């Protein structure tokens, strides 16, 4: 249960990074909601990896490069699920605000991420 709570905290940090960067890029650049979200997800993934590696899960015993590759693999897959749902929501519901679509998509990909990180990335060899 402790890992799930810490994972939720890491997700909250990632969410704040994602939302902050998405909002800033939408309002301060011409990127638009789709490209801005790709940039925001990248920064959020880096933030959650640092937190999860240090506080949520036990170190895997793998090299930093191997662990980073595994984390990136799960993270990219979760990000594709997240981004796909985000895009589908915005395209099918044009009145939906990008941040609302981000919240829904982020919650949906959180379960996948937890199991991927706990079973594939940080599980001891």
């Amino acid at each position: 249960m402790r890992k799930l709570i810490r994972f939720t905290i890491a997700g909250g940090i990632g969410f704040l990074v994602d939302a902050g960067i998405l909002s800033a890029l939408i309002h301060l650049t011409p990127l638009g909601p789709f490209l801005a979200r790709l940039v925001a997800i990248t920064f959020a993934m880096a933030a959650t990896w640092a937190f999860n590696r240090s506080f949520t899960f036990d170190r895997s015993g793998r090299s930093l490069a191997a662990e980073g590759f595994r984390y990136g693999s799960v993270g990219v897959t979760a990000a594709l699920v997240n981004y796909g749902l985000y895009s589908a929501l915005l395209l099918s519901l044009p009145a939906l605000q990008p941040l609302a679509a981000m919240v829904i998509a982020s919650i949906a990909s959180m379960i996948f991420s937890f199991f991927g990180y706990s079973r594939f990335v940080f599980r001891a060899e």
Side-chain angles (χ1 to χ4, degrees):
M1 187 62 151
R2 178 178 232 161
K3 286 182 182 181
L4 184 57
I5 291 169
R6 288 181 178 185
F7 181 77
T8 303
I9 292 168
I13 291 167
F15 177 83
L16 292 174
V17 169
D18 195 350
I21 291 174
L22 176 64
S23 292
L25 291 175
I26 287 173
H27 292 89
L28 301 174
T29 71
L31 289 180
F34 296 101
L35 288 175
R37 185 74 201 285
L38 290 175
V39 173
I41 283 175
T42 303
F43 281 96
M45 191 183 311
T48 60
W49 178 52
F51 189 90
N52 280 326
R53 186 167 204 277
S54 299
F55 299 106
T56 305
F57 301 105
D58 297 326
R59 304 259 168 131
S60 66
R62 293 177 186 85
S63 70
L64 184 61
E67 189 177 280
F69 178 78
R70 285 175 172 246
Y71 193 91
S73 297
V74 172
V76 166
T77 304
L80 289 172
V81 168
N82 191 321
Y83 186 77
L85 182 54
Y86 169 83
S87 298
L89 287 167
L90 288 181
L91 292 171
S92 64
L93 302 168
L96 186 65
Q97 294 294 313
L99 286 177
M102 190 199 89
V103 169
I104 295 165
S106 295
I107 291 169
S109 68
M110 186 175 136
I111 295 169
F112 172 84
S113 298
F114 179 76
F115 285 106
Y117 294 143
S118 65
R119 305 275 193 272
F120 181 66
V121 179
F122 295 106
R123 188 176 200 172
E125 292 184 279

